[in-house]
Amino acid sequence: MPRFDKYIHLTDTHLVKDAGTLYGLNPKQRLLQAVEHINRHHADARGAFITGDLTHNGHDNAYAHLRECLDTLQMPVYPILGNHDSRANFQQNFPLIQRDAHGFVQYVVELEQHTAIFLDTNEPGVHWGVFCQQRAQWLRAALEKASKPVLLFMHHPFFPIGITSMDHISLRDTRPFEAAIAGLESRIAHCFFGHIHRPIFGTFRGMPYSTLRSTNHHVALVLQDQSLDIVGKNENPQYGVLLLGGTQVLLHLEDYIDSGEHFILGG
Ligand SMILES: [Fe+2]
């Protein structure tokens, strides 16, 4: 068995003010259940990546509750912003997370076998993603500098997924992003998203990508519907267990709130 380095992928935690409820669910409670499950089963993970929509309304108090949850996670946490977040309130509560020279929450973390690059697609006042020239120039420089295979983390996907309502609020102008990666696609071993609230896997110009269910509410799989209304659906929340080893990037999905008992298959 190859040596794997383990990491956790969480997304769209959507915490609200005063640890209240959202769509009939309690985001803080659901996140705490994930944290407890991760600590019990994956305490050997080297870090946890959270791909945005950390809070639902960007409220300062919601970030304080988020920090309280994440402080109990037994590994470093690497968050990015989503469309529901507030850059200012995030920075107030997570002052140690780096920013680029223009104040965007973009940073690089050198892992054992990969370079992790975290991007900021948040734009105040809108739900679609924005990746401007300034952010794209930073990404280009980070990609050119990377000496190991790159893992890219961003909230919004930069391609249509076939759900009209979500495509409407995806990365709106993809040209700066596409220019930033042009010719360097082979350096990107995997791209991780949030935003969609349901599992998706695929490739773009040969780059593998994935996302997974939110720890709170979900989006129904409604295709060929031109409505811009986002259809919600409550499914099992998930987190991802990422195994990195040699040339492998392997992602397991764990439905951590699950009444199914373990049993031994045989016969
Ligand atoms: Fe979200």
Side-chain angles (χ1 to χ4, degrees), residues 12 14 53 84 155 195 197:
D12 292 83
H14 279 261
D53 282 358
H84 282 269
H155 183 69
H195 197 50
H197 290 229

Side-chain angles (χ1 to χ4, degrees), residues 79-141:
I80 57 172
L81 301 181
N83 49 296
H84 282 269
D85 286 305
S86 155
R87 194 173 288 117
N89 287 338
F90 168 77
Q91 287 166 354
Q92 193 83 15
N93 285 276
F94 291 83
L96 298 181
I97 300 296
Q98 299 169 52
R99 286 167 272 164
D100 69 14
H102 299 287
F104 295 111
V105 182
Q106 303 202 123
Y107 56 102
V108 174
V109 175
E110 294 297 340
L111 310 179
E112 295 75 11
Q113 303 175 67
H114 294 80
T115 297
I117 299 181
F118 299 88
L119 303 180
D120 183 338
T121 55
N122 171 279
E123 187 74 6
V126 299
H127 279 298
W128 58 80
V130 172
F131 200 68
C132 58
Q133 292 291 352
Q134 287 180 328
R135 286 176 260 198
Q137 281 168 11
W138 181 92
L139 170 59
R140 184 78 187 179

Side-chain angles (χ1 to χ4, degrees), residues 235-251:
E235 301 178 351
N236 276 332
Q238 285 178 331
Y239 64 80
V241 180
L242 176 62
L243 300 179
L244 304 175
T247 55
Q248 266 190 284
V249 175
L250 190 159
L251 186 67

Side-chain angles (χ1 to χ4, degrees), residues 11-14 51-56 82-84 155 166 169 194-197 214 217 219:
T11 199
D12 292 83
T13 48
H14 279 261
T51 44
D53 282 358
L54 309 168
T55 68
H56 191 64
N83 49 296
H84 282 269
H155 183 69
M166 296 306 292
I169 55 168
H195 197 50
I196 307 302
H197 290 229
S214 155
H217 56 287
V219 170

